[in-house]
């Protein structure tokens, strides 16, 4: 039942987002209502309501400060070990539950009468902060549960690696980026505005519960830690992954967990071993710092000694030039490692790193390569005064006692990574195999300074195949795609230049207006651009400003030496000339909207993104839907037609 509920919540939320935020429909109103009613009934049957269920509306709350609250009993830290034998001796002849030690923020949830009434952070173990409104926005906790007695649950609030990367990628200033998912989670959970917390996709994993006041419930657990987990799971909570172990099976279980580390989407910094017999564990008491019923197992960092051969300075889109250690390859945790981040100039100085130094490296949490120790500490390194990407001057910036290196050239290609990314995109030059990460690597290596350098990558073949993550196969795929892009559409080429206001549709309008004559396009006046239907004065001014800049014209001419325009002969009748269409909803006869759009444009018509008084037809297979575009069309008297109606035209 819970799995079906989770499936329904995700599906209905996806449908709502598509309908309200993206103005498209992925299911009919009838189907939505049917699934919604099924979810409502399941929530009644189980007594469980997930926090992101469409049946509840979680209001956001803004507070001036987070109230403090003392925990009924101190939340102690766990003793820890990196030695498997020590862990086995600690367990002795008892059974235990081995689970992930998640790296987030510990939160205590309190339920009364089946509803979440309070959430408090661990804080310093004695006093925490009340974050109830924020906890209500956690993506996977139930706001309502079937158990009506008082229930206190402890768990870890975490943000996944994928969500962390997504949030960080939207922050342009590298100094403002979050250092790791734990920092981001802590800041998200402790927000004064719960709407911000909601956007961060925080999840909660239960790892224990306080003894319930209900004696009957308490007795049903039979002092079993696992039965408590199963009880919480039945109530709708996501519990940490665990394995029941004894002394003999402990080692194998640790190995199984360690093998999953590289594929986990959530941060963890080890494992926790709890005694299965809760009563026995409590009878052992506590030390001044640790309870005796559980212990943490930290991964023993596998280290290797090697030689530092180079400090590479890697430019980024923010202008920051980051030092990276290059060393003789070593095998760590089953993979070959030859690079590690050095963070900033201050870090390099503190480590007294120098070319030729003997260093020790390891993988933090068995994932991220780091230097643990510099054995020779020569300090032989040079801070470059020229940016590797553009050759422009560099400056050392000092802030909060931390020195960083920056490129001061505003036109540095590393800062214009989005332009390179646009140029290779599907609707532009369609160069498959060159991701943004690949572009960043090529720019930092000095392979790319201008867009036209993409067509000179063969000069760096030997270096590319030796780059980490690349090889002969990757190089051949990239080169093949680059060569294929030499024959391109003029509109795709124009769009790929990144001219302000010139999207795919506007590029097609310009190419059509000038009859596929690129010389005329380059020398067009503002008045000529402004005369093109659909383009205004602002776009015309920006277009002319771009074409008037000598460096832009030089780059275009370099590119024109590399590419050939493929002029598509359009034999279609121009029976849709002067007609404007808007497309919404799912399609049946066409594979996607671009295909339908091409048919309309080939026949002289125009496709717009929104319904207005200039719209002649709205194409929507669900004529009776209540989408915003349908409503606008009816309000303005715009005919709504299906694909079938369109094809009959």
């Amino acid at each position: 039942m819970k799995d079906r509920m989770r499936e329904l919540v995700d599906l209905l939320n996806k449908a709502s987002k598509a309908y309200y935020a993206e103005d498209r429909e992925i299911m009919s109103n009838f189907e939505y209502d049917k699934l919604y009613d099924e979810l409502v009934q399941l929530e009644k049957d189980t007594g469980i309501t997930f926090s992101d269920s469409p049946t509840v509306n979680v209001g956001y709350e803004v507070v001036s400060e987070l109230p403090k609250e003392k925990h009924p009993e101190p939340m102690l830290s766990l003793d820890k070990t990196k030695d498997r034998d020590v862990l086995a001796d600690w367990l002795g002849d008892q059974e235990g539950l081995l689970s992930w030690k998640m790296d987030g923020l510990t939160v205590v949830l309190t339920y009364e009468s089946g509803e979440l009434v309070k959430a408090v952070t661990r804080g310093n173990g004695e006093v925490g902060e009340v974050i109830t409104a924020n906890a209500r926005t956690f993506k996977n906790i139930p706001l309502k549960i079937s158990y009506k007695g008082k229930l206190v649950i402890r768990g870890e609030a975490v943000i996944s690696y994928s969500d962390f990367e997504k949030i960080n990628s939207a922050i342009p200033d590298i100094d403002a980026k979050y250092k790791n998912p734990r920092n981001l989670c802590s800041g998200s959970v402790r927000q004064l505005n719960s709407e911000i917390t909601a956007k961060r996709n925080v999840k909660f994993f239960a790892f224990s519960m306080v003894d319930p006041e209900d004696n009957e419930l308490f007795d049903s657990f039979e002092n079993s830690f696992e039965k408590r987990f199963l009880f919480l799971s039945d109530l709708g909570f996501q519990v940490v992954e665990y394995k029941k172990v004894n002394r003999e099976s402990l080692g194998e279980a640790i190995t199984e967990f360690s093998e999953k580390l590289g594929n986990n989407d959530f941060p963890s910094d080890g494992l926790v071993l709890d005694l299965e017999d809760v009563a026995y564990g409590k009878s052992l008491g506590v030390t001044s710092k640790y309870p005796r019923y559980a212990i943490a197992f930290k991964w023993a960092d596998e280290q290797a000694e090697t030689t530092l051969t180079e400090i590479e300075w890697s430019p980024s889109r923010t202008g920051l030039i980051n030092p990276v250690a290059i060393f003789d390859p070593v095998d760590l945790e089953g993979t070959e490692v030859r690079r590690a981040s050095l963070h900033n100039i201050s870090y390099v100085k503190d480590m007294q790193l120098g070319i030729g130094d003997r260093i020790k490296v390891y993988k933090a949490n068995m994932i991220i390569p780091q230097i643990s120790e510099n054995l020779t500490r020569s300090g032989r390194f040079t801070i470059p005064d020229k940016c590797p990407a553009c050759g422009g001057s560099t400056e050392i910036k000092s802030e909060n006692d931390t020195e960083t290196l920056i490129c001061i050239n505003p036109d540095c290609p590393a800062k214009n990574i989005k332009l390179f990314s646009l140029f290779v995109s599907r609707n532009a030059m369609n160069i498959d195999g060159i991701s943004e990460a690949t572009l960043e690597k090529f720019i930092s290596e000095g392979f790319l300074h201008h867009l036209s350098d993409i067509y000179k990558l063969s000069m760096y073949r030997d270096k590319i195949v030796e780059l980490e993550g690349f090889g002969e196969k990757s190089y051949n795929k990239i080169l093949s795609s680059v060569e294929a892009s030499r024959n391109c559409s003029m509109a795709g080429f124009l769009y790929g230049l990144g001219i302000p206001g010139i999207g795919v549709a506007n590029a097609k309008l310009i190419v059509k207006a000038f009859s596929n004559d690129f010389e005329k396009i380059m020398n067009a006046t503002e008045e000529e651009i402004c005369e093109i239907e659909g383009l205004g004065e602002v776009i015309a001014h920006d277009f002319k400003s771009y074409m008037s800049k000598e460096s832009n014209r030089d780059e275009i001419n370099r590119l024109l030496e590399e590419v050939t325009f493929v002029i598509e002969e359009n034999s279609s009748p121009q029976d849709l000339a002067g007609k404007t269409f808007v497309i919404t909803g799912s399609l049946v006869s066409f594979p996607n909207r671009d295909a339908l759009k091409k048919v309309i444009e080939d026949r002289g018509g125009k496709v717009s993104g929104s319904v207005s008084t200039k719209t002649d037809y709205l194409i929507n297979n669900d004529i009776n839907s209540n989408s915003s575009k349908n409503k606008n069309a009816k309000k303005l008297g715009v005919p709504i037609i299906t694909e079938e109606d369109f094809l009959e035209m």
Side-chain angles (χ1 to χ4, degrees):
M1 276 190 180
K2 293 196 305 302
D3 290 342
R4 176 57 177 167
M5 289 171 65
R6 186 72 263 170
E7 180 185 3
L8 288 171
V9 167
D10 292 342
L11 186 58
L12 291 170
N13 284 341
K14 184 178 180 181
S16 293
K17 181 182 179 184
Y19 184 83
Y20 291 108
E22 302 168 359
D23 201 16
R24 63 188 181 90
E25 297 178 40
I26 60 174
M27 65 174 66
S28 66
N29 289 343
F30 175 80
E31 185 179 3
Y32 182 94
D33 291 341
K34 181 181 177 183
L35 297 177
Y36 185 93
D37 291 342
E38 181 186 352
L39 177 60
V40 169
Q41 188 59 51
L42 285 172
E43 288 179 345
K44 286 180 181 178
D45 294 343
T46 62
I48 297 171
T49 305
F50 290 113
S51 62
D52 56 345
S53 170
T55 67
V56 295
N57 182 18
V58 181
Y60 299 127
E61 179 180 313
V62 179
V63 296
S64 58
E65 64 177 15
L66 295 174
K68 304 288 193 298
E69 181 171 301
K70 187 173 183 178
H71 296 295
E73 58 183 65
M75 296 184 65
L76 301 176
S77 300
L78 296 180
D79 195 5
K80 61 184 77 67
T81 181
K82 292 185 177 182
D83 191 318
R84 295 190 180 203
D85 291 335
V86 170
L87 197 68
D89 290 341
W90 180 90
L91 184 60
D93 59 358
Q94 294 290 312
E95 286 189 320
L97 260 61
L98 190 67
S99 61
W100 290 114
K101 186 177 184 296
M102 293 196 163
D103 193 15
L105 191 70
T106 301
V107 175
V108 184
L109 305 179
T110 301
Y111 287 78
E112 292 180 0
S113 302
E115 296 192 10
L116 175 64
V117 295
K118 186 168 61 179
V120 184
T121 67
R122 179 183 182 276
N124 62 7
E126 297 279 348
V127 177
E129 293 172 309
V130 180
I131 51 137
T132 309
N134 294 346
R136 290 180 184 277
T137 70
F138 292 175
K139 294 302 177 185
N140 64 335
I141 68 166
L143 296 181
K144 296 181 180 180
I145 58 177
S146 58
Y147 178 68
K148 303 306 178 185
K150 183 177 181 180
L151 192 65
V152 180
I153 303 159
R154 294 176 176 176
E156 199 80 357
V158 298
I159 289 178
S160 68
Y161 284 118
S162 53
D163 285 326
F164 170 74
E165 295 295 340
K166 192 182 301 180
I167 293 168
N168 250 359
S169 65
I171 302 174
D173 183 359
I174 196 163
D175 292 330
K177 291 180 183 288
Y178 296 95
K179 302 305 179 189
N180 52 59
R182 188 194 185 286
N183 287 358
L184 175 58
C185 183
S186 178
S188 302
V189 169
R190 300 171 63 250
Q191 285 287 332
L192 299 179
N193 184 346
S194 60
E195 185 172 7
I196 297 175
T197 308
K199 293 176 180 177
R200 300 284 175 78
N201 280 337
V202 180
K203 292 186 178 180
F204 178 85
F205 291 85
F207 59 65
S208 72
M209 61 180 287
V210 175
D211 289 342
E213 297 174 352
D214 183 342
N215 290 330
E216 186 175 337
L217 178 63
F218 185 90
D219 292 340
S220 70
F221 294 144
E222 298 176 353
N223 292 320
S224 167
F225 203 101
E226 183 178 28
K227 285 190 176 181
R228 296 183 180 217
F229 268 179
L230 295 173
F231 172 71
L232 292 177
S233 181
D234 288 341
L235 290 179
F237 293 95
Q238 196 164 351
V239 301
V240 292
E241 181 186 354
Y242 69 90
K243 289 183 178 295
K244 197 170 186 178
V245 296
N246 54 32
R247 188 183 185 109
E248 286 68 36
S249 62
L250 179 61
E252 182 181 348
I254 293 173
T255 300
E256 288 182 22
F257 274 106
S258 68
E259 289 173 347
K260 295 181 179 181
L261 264 179
N263 297 319
N264 279 349
D265 194 30
F266 57 83
S268 66
D269 56 355
L271 302 171
V272 174
L273 181 59
D274 286 277
L275 291 173
E276 160 66 355
D277 189 329
V278 177
Y280 173 71
K282 288 186 177 298
S283 72
L284 300 177
V286 298
T287 69
S288 59
K289 294 174 64 178
Y290 311 117
R292 290 193 170 99
Y293 55 77
I295 186 172
F297 176 76
K298 306 287 282 186
W299 304 113
D301 299 316
E302 181 183 347
Q303 296 195 74
E305 189 176 320
T306 183
T307 300
L308 182 67
T309 59
E310 180 185 353
I311 294 179
E312 176 187 280
W313 295 85
S314 177
S316 71
R317 68 186 68 184
T318 64
L320 200 65
I321 304 176
N322 304 301
V324 179
I326 312 295
F327 43 81
D328 290 337
V330 292
D331 186 75
L332 289 173
E333 314 294 351
T335 60
E336 187 179 89
V337 178
R338 62 179 70 203
R339 301 165 62 89
S341 172
L342 297 176
H343 310 295
N344 50 57
I345 294 174
S346 296
Y347 182 88
V348 178
K349 286 182 176 179
D350 291 343
M351 293 286 287
Q352 294 183 320
L353 289 168
I355 308 305
D357 281 353
R358 293 296 292 174
I359 58 175
K360 285 187 176 182
V361 295
Y362 72 104
K363 279 188 177 180
N365 288 331
M366 300 176 72
I367 298 173
I368 305 168
Q370 300 280 334
I371 294 178
S372 60
E373 188 179 356
N374 182 6
L375 301 175
T376 44
R377 306 182 74 86
S378 71
R380 293 190 298 264
F381 75 95
T382 303
I383 301 173
D385 57 2
K386 300 293 182 184
C387 172
C390 68
S393 299
T394 62
E395 284 185 1
I396 296 176
K397 177 183 176 183
S398 183
E399 194 171 300
N400 299 324
D401 297 325
T402 300
E403 288 183 323
T404 54
L405 187 67
I406 60 170
C407 171
I408 60 175
N409 176 15
D411 296 320
C412 177
K415 297 179 183 179
N416 297 320
I417 186 70
K418 291 298 182 184
L419 173 59
F420 283 87
S421 185
L422 171 69
F423 186 78
V424 302
S425 65
R426 180 170 61 89
N427 288 326
M429 301 303 287
N430 192 25
I431 304 178
D432 190 32
I434 301 186
S435 65
E436 195 163 300
T438 297
L439 288 168
E440 285 184 330
K441 169 61 68 177
F442 287 178
I443 289 171
S444 69
E445 293 287 339
F447 303 160
L448 301 177
H449 299 278
H450 307 284
L451 293 178
S452 53
D453 291 334
I454 289 174
Y455 293 97
K456 298 179 176 65
L457 285 174
S458 58
M459 295 168 53
Y460 304 101
R461 179 217 170 267
D462 292 344
K463 292 184 178 180
I464 292 175
V465 297
E466 290 298 321
L467 289 176
E468 186 174 2
F470 290 83
E472 194 75 40
K473 188 175 181 180
S474 297
Y475 168 79
N476 288 335
K477 180 181 178 182
I478 290 171
L479 199 68
S480 174
S481 192
V482 168
E483 291 303 310
S485 75
R486 290 182 183 275
N487 296 310
C488 62
S489 75
M490 190 177 294
F493 177 85
L494 186 62
Y495 166 63
L497 295 176
I499 304 171
I502 306 302
V504 178
N506 287 344
K508 289 180 179 178
L509 290 175
I510 293 172
V511 169
K512 184 177 179 181
F514 289 94
S515 303
N516 295 291
D517 189 328
F518 204 80
E519 185 70 25
K520 288 183 179 179
I521 291 173
M522 286 181 67
N523 297 303
T525 64
E526 281 191 43
E527 291 74 19
E528 287 175 319
I529 298 296
C530 208
E531 287 175 2
I532 301 173
E533 185 180 355
L535 304 185
E537 293 181 3
V538 174
I539 291 177
H541 175 74
D542 288 344
F543 186 88
K544 182 60 180 176
S545 296
Y546 178 92
M547 288 297 181
S548 298
K549 191 173 180 181
E550 186 177 355
S551 61
N552 289 336
R553 295 180 72 89
D554 288 344
E555 176 62 358
I556 290 174
N557 287 325
R558 283 194 293 267
L559 283 167
L560 291 176
E561 292 177 2
E562 304 290 345
V563 304
T564 300
F565 294 131
V566 178
I567 309 300
E568 294 183 9
E569 295 295 333
N570 184 12
S571 58
S572 301
Q574 300 299 289
D575 50 358
L576 298 181
K579 302 293 184 184
T580 299
F581 295 79
V582 174
I583 307 168
T584 190
S586 57
L587 300 175
V588 177
S589 301
F590 294 87
N592 51 53
R593 292 186 190 180
D594 283 344
L596 175 53
K597 182 179 179 181
K598 186 176 187 304
V599 170
I600 293 171
E601 290 176 343
D602 285 348
R603 301 177 81 99
K606 178 183 175 183
V607 177
S608 176
S610 58
V611 177
S612 70
T613 54
K614 295 181 180 180
T615 305
D616 292 290
Y617 296 98
L618 170 64
I619 300 176
N620 187 352
N621 284 324
D622 189 354
I623 292 179
N624 298 315
S625 83
N626 289 317
S627 71
S628 60
K629 286 180 181 173
N630 269 31
K631 290 177 182 177
N632 285 341
K634 290 174 183 176
K635 183 179 178 181
L636 297 172
V638 174
I640 304 174
I641 62 174
T642 64
E643 278 178 276
E644 188 176 348
D645 297 329
F646 169 76
L647 291 171
E648 288 178 358
M649 291 174 63

